[in-house]
Amino acid sequence: MDFVLALGAGLLATLKDVMPIAIIIFGFQLLVIRKSIPHLKKVLFGFFYVLIGLVLFLQGLEQALFPLGKLMAAQLTDPSFIYAGMAAIPDVIHWGDYMWVYIFAAAIGFSTTIAEPSLLAVAIKAEEVSGGTISVWGLRIAVAIGVAVGISLGTFRIITGTPLQYYIMTGYVIVIIQTFYAPKLIIALAYDSGGVTTSTVTVPLVAALGLGLASTVPGRSPLLDGFGLIAFASLFPIMSVMAYAQLTEWRERRHKIRDSEESE
Amino acid sequence: MRAQFSIFLGYFLNSARDLASIIAVIAFFQLVVLQQPIPNLGEILGGVLLVMLGLTFFIRGLEMGLFPIGESMAYAFARKGSVFWLLLFAFCLGFGTTVAEPALIAVAQEAASVAAVGGVIEHTDAAMNSYATGLRYTVAVSVGFAILLGVLRILKGWPIHYLIITGYAGVVLMTTIAPAEIIGIAYDSGGVTTSTITVPLVTALGVGLASSIKGRNPMTDGFGLIAFASLTPMIFVMAYGMMF
């Protein structure tokens, strides 16, 4: 019974989410474009599937992954775990003591990104448009590596308490430099992949990790220091996707040089 | 019917593979690092099954509904040739999908409590609610503006990196003058605005537009709408923080 209630509540919430989009699309279609939608029945079924899919997806996350993920974030950042085996919790913390937190941040960033539905949508489109040069898995793994590095560095920032903007601005400089050297085809997609990585799966888990750290590390305030992980997670994939394209291009060029040397 | 079923089965297996890494990470940390048993194992397995089913339906619905409609609207607007209606549509899509976004509502409320603790606004429910609502509309307008700008870029064929670099310069400039409390929230707000339904729609719209306009390449020109939508909120939120 509880399960059905939760599912109903989830359906209502998702409907509320989808409603404005449906109104805008069908409003413009009927009033401005004034043509019937091709394959209307199939499209409506598609919307229905999206709705059902999101409801089940969110319900499953609420039931399985979020409680456990949040619990683990709390346990891993708890000083009694980090300083287990020591007589007293030291007053001055050392960033090296939080090794498991960095590893967990990277692992959870990587794996939630792989499961992120909006990234999958963009990856499917990118493979279609590029005619297979950019593969779904290549893009997803490149983005996931970016998120992993980003979130890991973000937890390091919370623990050391260094200002967020210095990291982000350094990131911007690297992105700008890479933009001028990366293959032109990848640039727009790389910029996009920054925004798509952080949605349904990643945000709640990462936010829990940030808040857990900021409330247990001495001298940090959850209100002021708990933010910023999402910003890291949306900046680093831009770099890793461009790096992925640069690496692919470089390897192809080397192959060509070797091939031409062999044929001589 | 059987063809439908085998398509679904294929998607289901893919979803299982997508989730395997999360399960592995959680199991490893719970059992090996924290050395604790997994609580409510049955409920968790049921939840994982729901997530897989959900992902399966979502991807199937994406290919049947969201992708085709985004593209068919892009073609229809391109044929109609009315820039005004296309830009209005772009703005509405950005604004409408963002204003109701649950992640944004949550972030706006947290921002209001930060502002209240920092003494920027009064520590009352009324003041915090109006601050949160104002912030939410600010972000929604900024996303609407971003999609509009992105569509205009596709129409004109402007190279994306100049616009993005200008945006970065805007963020850096605003960071130096905005109040310190708002910066973390502003930076995060860029990431939370693009929801799971918006992303496929907007991507299909961009790619559809770029492939129906002569001289545009869907790869270099079609993508990039999301990038704008995650950049402008940062600037607008810092501006909002400065108004108080």
Side-chain angles (χ1 to χ4, degrees), chain A residues 17-18 21 24 32 46 53 60 63-64 68 72 75 104 120 125 134 137 140 172 179 192 195 198 200 228 230-231, chain B residues 17-18 26 29-30 34 36 43-44 47 54 59 61 71 80 92 97 100 188 191 194 196-197 201 219 224 226-227 234:
Chain A
D17 221 21
V18 175
I21 301 175
I24 290 165
V32 179
Q63 190 180 324
L68 198 56
M72 289 168 70
Q75 285 171 337
F104 179 71
L120 182 54
K125 214 55 211 171
I134 295 159
W137 275 101
R140 285 166 92 187
Y172 283 170
T179 301
D192 262 5
T198 45
T200 340
I230 314 273
Chain B
R17 201 176 48 188
D18 294 345
I26 289 193
F29 274 88
Q30 187 75 0
L34 293 164
Q36 270 161 20
E43 199 176 328
I44 285 176
I59 298 298
E71 274 173 28
K80 204 172 154 58
C92 288
T97 53
D188 272 4
T194 42
T196 318
I197 306 167
L201 256 181
M219 198 65 213
I226 314 283
M234 295 163 79

Side-chain angles (χ1 to χ4, degrees), chain A residues 212-226:
Chain A
L213 268 181
S215 47
T216 51
V217 175
R220 302 286 168 276
S221 124
L223 281 178
L224 296 181
D225 301 298

Side-chain angles (χ1 to χ4, degrees), chain B residues 84-131:
Chain B
F84 170 77
W85 285 113
L86 175 58
L87 292 183
L88 184 70
F89 175 70
F91 182 85
C92 288
L93 198 65
F95 181 86
T97 53
T98 310
V99 81
E101 169 70 27
L104 176 62
I105 296 174
V107 166
Q109 273 155 358
E110 284 187 55
S113 39
V114 171
V117 169
V120 183
I121 53 170
E122 279 176 56
H123 208 252
T124 58
D125 279 350
M128 278 162 65
N129 272 337
S130 87
Y131 186 89

Side-chain angles (χ1 to χ4, degrees), chain B residues 110-152:
Chain B
E110 284 187 55
S113 39
V114 171
V117 169
V120 183
I121 53 170
E122 279 176 56
H123 208 252
T124 58
D125 279 350
M128 278 162 65
N129 272 337
S130 87
Y131 186 89
T133 312
L135 186 65
R136 200 147 63 85
Y137 279 96
T138 307
V139 173
V141 168
S142 72
V143 174
F145 172 72
I147 306 284
L148 185 154
L149 190 70
V151 165
L152 197 62

Side-chain angles (χ1 to χ4, degrees), chain A residues 27 42 44 46 59 63 74 108 114 129 138 157 162 185 200 228 239 244 259 261:
Chain A
K42 198 176 171 193
L44 286 178
Q59 176 63 29
Q63 190 180 324
I108 205 82
I114 293 287
V129 171
R157 183 199 76 84
T162 33
L185 276 181
T200 340
M239 299 179 212
Y244 160 69
D259 286 350
E261 276 172 0

